Amino acid sequence: MDSDRSDGAGKAVRNVISGDAVVSGPVVQADRIGSLVFSHTAPAPAPITPRQVPPPRPGFVNRTAEFAALSAALASYGPDSPPATIVITGLGGVGKTELVSQWVWRELAERFPDGQLYADLAEVRRDGGIDVGGVIGTLLRALGVHESLIPAGTADRSALFRSATADRRLLVVLDNAQHAAEVRPMLPGHGLAVVLSRKRLASLEVDGAVPLTVAPLDTDAGVALVRRWQQSAAEPDPASGADPGAAARLVAACGGLPLALRAAGEWLIERPHMSLEAVVDALAEEQLRSGEEGRSVAAVFDAVTATFCPHTLALYRFLGAFPGTTFTADVAGAAGVTRFEDGLRDLRTAHMAVGAGAPGRFRLHDVVAAHARTRTGPEQDVREARRRVTDFYLITAARADRLVLGQRFRLQEAPPALPDGSHGPFRTGAEALDWLDAERANLLAVLRTAAEEGWHDAVWRLCESLWALYHSRKHYADWIESHRLGIEAARWEGRIDAEVRMRNQLARAHYSLGEYDLADAELSRADELLGAVADARLPGIIRETQGLLCLARRRPDEAIALFTRALQANEGDPHGIVVQSYNLGQAFLAAGRPQEALDLLDSAMATARAEGDEAMQVRIGIVCGRAHRASGRFEHALEAVTDAALLAERLGQVVKLKEALELTVELGDRMQNPQVQRAARSKMRELRQRTGIGEPVD
């Protein structure tokens, strides 16, 4: 018997055993499963060891007591010890992060060979809270866990993080924490967690964390730091003839905070012709001695920024107006800032701006950012800068969405093309998705600002484009907040179609989180609006989500009715017909009607092949495999699911490949076929290892 079919790569396959015999059976399928090479779906088994803690900077002085306390805290810690936690507290700008960077460089690099994870919670904090699940997702990706296998809920992500770290000697540094509750889900299953905070986290101490307080530099240490900077100036002996109390007065003026001292020190180095006494006078000594917490530091920053060149001061004022947390040359340029690199160099030289992890991305120190927000210039200038920033993200996110998801159904028109024909900061769909992810805190901040300013049309359009990010990377807290803003904006604009769209996308977030009642509420409100929309696809997407909820609640007959209506709404749209046929096929199968599912899915598969819709071919193939299994046709099921597995691997669809391999494991057991059992289990174990979830397969 001949069996000519596609192997998922567009080539015909003839299953030949020996001689002239041609069969399609378990032996051949086992060989095909065994031939899987995970070149598209997963990285090599040895991912890069993360080294994320910021590197130490020169000029670090006199933290001997703190180093001794840190060493004592780890004196009894060994490779087989249970996980440990140290909480370091101190004022903003006191040097907590630098202390940890120095400690890692001096003592911990070899002690924790499996790497260092670092998360600055200030970068993702909004209104006092953070998306804990989103941060854990970022940590999991750094450990090599494949994006598509990161679960939805924060509790599940936390459990996976503990599992992924249980066998690793790992250092986890959580900077700018404010509450113990936001830290606990991010504590590793093994290794050491170092938590940095401006206030004491007493409940972590109750849990066994070791506390350490970092005080401002004392006079001697501060003077030593000032003298070191003086020696960097051009004068051969700048200290000669100097007032011996000037350095001490400068330390007192800066409150002993290294951040303020560094800014003042760079100001000093740039003026070697001035005496230290003159520098202290120029920094308005009488104001610096006010004694009010934060005012002395602000006065130092006032004096330093007063000496900036116009282009540096323009960048600083823009960053004070910028609603986000990290910035790039692209967004500064879009806001009209010129000579960005020169301005950035000045800010970094003064230790006021630092790198933010990814190349080309920066942020102000949070103490500096607070100062910059009070020095933004006229309100009209601030509003105009924010509008330009909003337009930049509106257009760039729309370009990213189209690169990531292609020609999906959208309400908004295509964004304008760039003069050079490029898409902006990215060239491929993968780069576009990474850009959206890197900008996600900024995107939500821009959405909030646009909503406050009443730029409602920009809000819902930007929100629609963010489906490419949220559907792929599952930042649920951002997803939900942004879509609430999008719904409100659509209502202000009188865009009923956009409100329906926003409510459906919000319902999908609740559906993914298992919050079915909340999803129902959004869909009910959208359903009430459908009589006022003309596009038949909008009722279709509502019926589809309602059908998915019915399937999740094990009400397949209701799902069948809803997916049938969704199918009718997509008449004339081949992709929509394929998707809704796939959903309807799943509902038939759940209702115990596998043959009806197969009849429908055969037609859908033919359309998907004719349209070149390979992603849906994978999905349909897996459901066909399940339908054949339900009918007792195990060999047919194995053939369908093997086809799906091969195509899923080529397309890099990890979740679907995992589903297909899990089904092949079950089929091998049901058929009691050793070749299939061995091949399926071997590939399942290999996939789990490569995707960072590495638990054994039974």
Side-chain angles (χ1 to χ4, degrees):
M1 177 183 70
D2 288 351
S3 177
D4 292 347
R5 51 177 177 66
S6 170
D7 69 349
K11 298 179 180 179
V13 173
R14 292 176 61 85
N15 293 326
V16 181
I17 296 294
S18 63
D20 295 328
V22 182
V23 300
S24 176
V27 175
V28 172
Q29 304 311 327
D31 287 343
R32 298 177 69 222
I33 295 166
S35 71
L36 272 170
V37 178
F38 301 122
S39 57
H40 298 93
T41 50
I48 296 173
T49 301
R51 303 287 184 190
Q52 297 182 342
V53 174
R57 295 183 295 189
F60 189 79
V61 297
N62 195 26
R63 290 297 190 185
T64 305
E66 287 84 351
F67 278 127
L70 289 169
S71 297
L74 278 188
S76 61
Y77 180 84
D80 298 324
S81 299
T85 303
I86 296 174
V87 179
I88 301 175
T89 58
L91 296 172
V94 81
K96 300 183 295 295
T97 305
E98 183 62 25
L99 173 67
V100 172
S101 297
Q102 294 282 345
W103 188 38
V104 170
W105 176 67
R106 296 181 186 188
E107 301 182 23
L108 299 189
E110 295 183 1
R111 197 161 185 175
F112 296 94
D114 293 325
Q116 312 144 13
L117 297 177
Y118 175 83
D120 186 349
L121 305 186
E123 293 183 7
V124 294
R125 190 175 302 284
R126 294 177 289 278
D127 293 341
I130 65 169
D131 176 9
V132 175
V135 176
I136 298 174
T138 300
L139 297 176
L140 286 169
R141 285 192 292 274
L143 291 175
V145 177
H146 197 279
E147 173 65 43
S148 58
L149 298 182
I150 295 174
T154 298
D156 290 336
R157 290 186 175 194
S158 179
L160 180 57
F161 181 65
R162 290 193 299 273
S163 297
T165 56
D167 297 324
R168 305 189 195 211
R169 294 166 60 187
L170 191 73
L171 173 68
V172 179
V173 178
L174 304 173
D175 206 346
N176 285 304
Q178 290 188 2
H179 312 286
E182 68 190 15
V183 169
R184 285 195 181 94
M186 292 182 269
L187 298 179
H190 189 52
L192 172 67
V194 179
V195 181
L196 284 64
S197 179
R198 294 188 186 180
K199 60 183 181 180
R200 184 179 177 185
L201 303 180
S203 61
L204 287 183
E205 295 176 29
V206 173
D207 294 343
V210 177
L212 172 67
T213 300
V214 179
L217 292 174
D218 60 26
T219 300
D220 290 342
V223 168
L225 192 57
V226 173
R227 292 305 186 195
R228 183 172 299 178
W229 286 323
Q230 282 185 289
Q231 292 163 12
S232 300
E235 296 292 331
D237 185 11
S240 61
D243 178 357
R249 296 203 315 273
L250 180 61
V251 173
C254 293
L257 297 180
L259 178 67
L261 274 167
R262 286 181 183 276
E266 293 297 337
W267 196 87
L268 169 64
I269 291 172
E270 291 294 321
R271 289 156 184 80
H273 59 283
M274 294 181 66
S275 67
L276 182 58
E277 297 91 327
V279 170
V280 174
D281 290 341
L283 292 175
E285 183 179 11
E286 67 280 1
Q287 295 182 23
L288 301 180
R289 288 179 171 175
S290 67
E292 295 181 27
E293 183 177 349
R295 184 174 173 185
S296 61
V297 175
V300 171
F301 292 152
D302 281 343
V304 172
T305 55
T307 67
F308 282 165
C309 298
H311 58 268
T312 305
L313 187 59
L315 174 60
Y316 192 71
R317 286 176 172 166
F318 160 69
L319 294 176
F322 180 54
T325 55
T326 65
F327 62 92
T328 63
D330 289 324
V331 71
V337 175
T338 60
R339 297 183 63 182
F340 171 81
E341 295 297 338
D342 293 337
L344 176 65
R345 183 180 62 250
D346 291 343
L347 291 177
R348 299 197 74 182
T349 297
H351 301 279
M352 299 173 80
V354 297
R361 188 169 295 278
F362 308 92
R363 67 175 180 86
L364 295 180
H365 188 285
D366 53 340
V367 175
V368 178
H371 177 266
R373 285 192 289 271
T374 67
R375 305 295 190 271
T376 55
E379 182 60 32
Q380 183 61 29
D381 291 350
V382 171
R383 195 167 191 267
E384 289 176 359
R386 288 179 172 172
R387 180 71 231 201
R388 289 192 292 268
V389 166
T390 299
D391 290 341
F392 166 79
Y393 281 109
L394 180 64
I395 293 171
T396 311
R399 292 187 179 121
D401 169 37
R402 289 175 185 270
L403 268 181
V404 174
L405 294 181
Q407 297 303 312
R408 73 180 179 99
F409 169 51
R410 297 175 179 85
L411 293 175
Q412 61 183 302
E413 65 279 359
L418 290 172
D420 61 0
S422 71
H423 294 279
F426 33 74
R427 295 170 297 175
T428 66
E431 290 178 357
L433 183 57
D434 287 342
W435 180 86
L436 287 167
D437 204 19
E439 292 280 0
R440 71 184 184 91
N442 293 337
L443 287 160
L444 186 56
V446 167
L447 272 172
R448 286 176 163 185
T449 298
E452 291 169 0
E453 294 285 358
W455 301 327
H456 304 302
D457 186 66
V459 172
W460 78 257
R461 289 176 186 274
L462 180 54
C463 192
E464 184 183 41
S465 296
L466 290 180
W467 178 256
L469 171 62
Y470 300 145
H471 180 67
S472 302
R473 295 285 169 90
K474 314 297 185 186
H475 299 301
Y476 289 104
D478 290 8
W479 185 346
I480 290 170
E481 181 180 351
S482 65
H483 279 72
R484 286 174 178 161
L485 293 172
I487 289 168
E488 187 66 20
R491 296 180 71 182
W492 275 103
E493 284 289 292
R495 287 293 302 262
I496 296 176
D497 55 347
E499 183 179 350
V500 170
R501 182 72 156 154
M502 296 296 100
R503 289 193 183 280
N504 182 71
Q505 291 185 179
L506 177 55
R508 286 297 188 98
H510 290 308
Y511 162 74
S512 297
L513 289 168
E515 299 168 348
Y516 299 149
D517 290 343
L518 293 175
D520 274 338
E522 296 301 330
L523 293 173
S524 294
R525 296 187 185 101
D527 212 347
E528 295 169 358
L529 301 172
L530 288 178
V533 298
D535 194 320
R537 292 173 294 181
L538 286 169
I541 65 173
I542 298 302
R543 304 302 171 226
E544 177 185 14
T545 306
Q546 290 172 331
L548 292 173
L549 283 167
C550 287
L551 272 185
R553 287 167 162 153
R554 299 184 179 181
R555 302 204 298 254
D557 291 335
E558 294 176 48
I560 289 171
L562 288 163
F563 288 138
T564 298
R565 294 175 68 184
L567 180 61
Q568 293 167 348
N570 280 272
E571 184 178 354
D573 178 358
H575 176 72
I577 290 173
V578 169
V579 171
Q580 301 311 326
S581 296
Y582 161 76
N583 287 329
L584 186 53
Q586 290 192 98
F588 278 134
L589 183 57
R593 297 153 64 179
Q595 190 55 53
E596 290 176 78
L598 286 168
D599 292 342
L600 181 66
L601 292 172
D602 283 345
S603 175
M605 180 67 85
T607 303
R609 285 175 175 156
E611 294 293 319
D613 194 343
E614 294 183 316
M616 288 308 302
Q617 290 176 45
V618 173
R619 294 169 177 263
I620 293 168
I622 292 173
V623 178
C624 283
R626 290 174 179 156
H628 283 301
R629 177 194 60 185
S631 301
R633 296 189 289 267
F634 298 143
E635 290 192 14
H636 288 82
L638 184 60
E639 184 172 5
V641 77
T642 303
D643 285 346
L646 290 168
L647 182 51
E649 198 290 319
R650 186 168 68 78
L651 297 177
Q653 295 184 351
V654 172
V655 170
K656 292 303 171 185
L657 176 57
K658 181 172 174 285
E659 288 182 23
L661 288 177
E662 287 171 342
L663 185 51
T664 60
V665 169
E666 180 187 343
L667 290 169
D669 291 343
R670 289 204 179 193
M671 299 168 71
Q672 296 184 340
N673 185 288
Q675 295 97 327
V676 175
Q677 290 172 319
R678 283 194 299 270
R681 280 178 166 76
S682 174
K683 290 301 173 181
M684 191 70 237
R685 279 191 291 269
E686 185 180 348
L687 179 65
R688 294 181 72 88
Q689 179 187 6
R690 282 177 169 263
T691 53
I693 58 175
E695 298 174 1
V697 178
D698 293 334

